[in-house]
Amino acid sequence: MKQFMVVLMAGILCFAGVAQAKGPQANAALEMAMLLQLADELGMGDYELMDVLAGYRQYRSTMDGYVKQRQEKKAALEAAIANDAGGSTVSTLTQELMSLDMNILRLRQSAVNEAATVMDSAAVAKLYLM
């Protein structure tokens, strides 16, 4: 089953094309394929794999929200700088962008820490490097 999922995800990536490979959906598909490959390397059973995929879906949903917010804040900050907005506006937007960056970092670290409860240290290291 895991090998089928890896092949399926690779096929989806191939059909998505090079132009789409830069989009967030392609990134998510690539992450999913890499996660499935890691699960296969670790010899995870089907039930363990389902738990991992459920955790990934939750992670991805939260991450997509952060990424969207970050893009909006970045655009607002760039516009404020270009329009010579007041220092307090630029400062506020900068702080909000920095806060989102910290949330993204914390989410990534939290996901790896959560995986550490069910994986050995070498598997966690591979996951972190992905």
Side-chain angles (χ1 to χ4, degrees), residues 39-102:
D40 187 48
E41 288 175 14
L42 297 174
M44 284 186 178
D46 291 344
Y47 292 111
E48 292 169 312
L49 179 60
M50 290 175 69
D51 286 342
V52 168
L53 293 178
Y56 174 75
R57 262 193 307 271
Q58 182 180 1
Y59 160 83
R60 188 75 255 160
S61 174
T62 305
M63 182 61 76
D64 288 346
Y66 282 151
V67 168
K68 182 179 178 196
Q69 290 176 38
R70 187 184 191 288
Q71 290 169 342
E72 292 168 356
K73 288 295 179 194
K74 182 181 177 200
L77 178 58
E78 289 171 341
I81 292 169
N83 295 327
D84 281 333
S88 65
T89 301
V90 171
S91 180
T92 299
L93 289 169
T94 300
Q95 290 298 318
E96 290 172 356
L97 185 60
M98 290 170 55
S99 177
L100 282 168
D101 286 340
M102 285 302 295

Side-chain angles (χ1 to χ4, degrees), residues 5-28:
M5 293 296 287
V6 170
V7 170
L8 178 65
M9 291 306 295
I12 290 170
L13 285 175
C14 289
F15 288 119
V18 175
Q20 292 288 336
K22 296 179 183 177
Q25 291 85 6
N27 288 340

